[in-house]
Amino acid sequence: MTTALITGASAGIGNAFASQLAARGNDVVLVARDEERLQKLAAELRAQHNIAAEVLAADLTDTGALARVEARLADAARPIDTLVNNAGFGSNGLLHELDVDDETREINLNVVALVRLTHAALGPMVARRAGGILNVSSIAGMQPTPRNATYGATKAFVTSFTQSVHEELRGTGVRATVVCPGFTRTEFQERAGIDSSRLPGFLWQSAGEVAAGALDALERGRAVYVPGTMNRMTAGFVSVLPDSVTRRAAALVIKFSE
């Protein structure tokens, strides 16, 4: 039996990853701050899929809690075969009007925790010459994102970082994939203070669609996976247009959604 550790597993895409990994026969280690939600999800997954589900409640912006998750990943006696770095959050507004401590916390979760957990997982995986890491980024990381400046920058880091690690792992038997979703129906927008009700339905995907495609991409050894036709078109346009165009277009989309 293989084991997957999923951060941000209590809701949204993380919940979908946990459910689909369990359905594919993996034991799971569920990581998030909300222990009550995690315990409920763990009970559901045990009952539905006859797998082991471990709960590890942790705020990954807390150094002590982060260290506990790193230790779990590094535990050779209880190997983790797949790490899904999904935990993260965004903020919305003009940078100079936002709380800088919240912005720093966003960087610590979206970037620092992801790097430390990836590092902790890779040692045992490379030693076993098997394993996979799936890092959740965003198409927001492919262009400047006015009013989401910190979020977009953290996701740009995740995309670049994961592609570099993917290449470093060539020939080791270990895979690393970054998934870059677009608008996905989760609690993310509400928590970020974004009213996205005016955006048309065709722009949206479900968390289940994103998770299923990402897991398939990891299994195939892809470096980057952009789910959804509209998102792939957006990524293609962004790659050839100058930043002066993409940053203004991004600002208009955010303004329209508010």
Side-chain angles (χ1 to χ4, degrees), residues 5-87:
L5 186 148
I6 307 100
T7 69
S10 61
I13 297 175
N15 183 291
F17 274 123
S19 298
Q20 295 196 25
L21 282 161
R24 296 180 185 207
N26 295 271
D27 291 336
V28 292
V29 181
L30 308 174
V31 180
R33 293 179 300 171
D34 193 329
E35 184 169 6
E36 184 177 349
R37 272 190 172 187
L38 290 181
Q39 293 289 2
K40 181 180 179 182
L41 175 61
E44 292 173 352
L45 296 180
R46 294 184 195 111
Q48 292 172 5
H49 304 294
N50 193 31
I51 52 91
E54 176 185 343
V55 168
L56 184 51
D59 179 349
L60 297 179
T61 64
D62 177 85
T63 55
L66 177 58
R68 290 197 302 275
V69 182
E70 290 179 72
R72 179 65 184 87
L73 286 164
D75 186 350
R78 298 182 297 161
I80 298 296
D81 302 281
T82 303
L83 166 63
V84 179
N85 274 314
N86 168 75

Side-chain angles (χ1 to χ4, degrees), residues 5 9 20 54 84 93 96 124 142 157 161 166 185 229 254:
L5 186 148
Q20 295 196 25
E54 176 185 343
V84 179
H96 66 276
M142 297 181 176
F157 178 96
F161 170 77
H166 171 93
R185 297 197 183 280
T229 302
I254 295 297

Side-chain angles (χ1 to χ4, degrees), residues 111-147:
V111 172
V112 176
L114 180 141
V115 170
R116 294 192 68 93
L117 296 182
T118 299
H119 182 272
L122 280 180
M125 287 180 180
V126 172
R128 296 194 311 272
R129 298 190 64 80
I133 294 177
L134 184 57
N135 289 333
V136 179
S137 183
S138 169
I139 59 170
M142 297 181 176
Q143 61 188 32
T145 52
R147 299 189 69 86

Side-chain angles (χ1 to χ4, degrees), residues 1 20-21 23 31-32 59 66 94 96 115 144 165 198 222 228 230 232 244 255:
M1 183 74 78
Q20 295 196 25
L21 282 161
V31 180
D59 179 349
L66 177 58
L94 303 175
H96 66 276
V115 170
V165 172
R198 295 172 62 188
R222 293 181 59 178
M230 288 299 300
R232 286 191 285 273
S244 60
K255 184 177 181 180

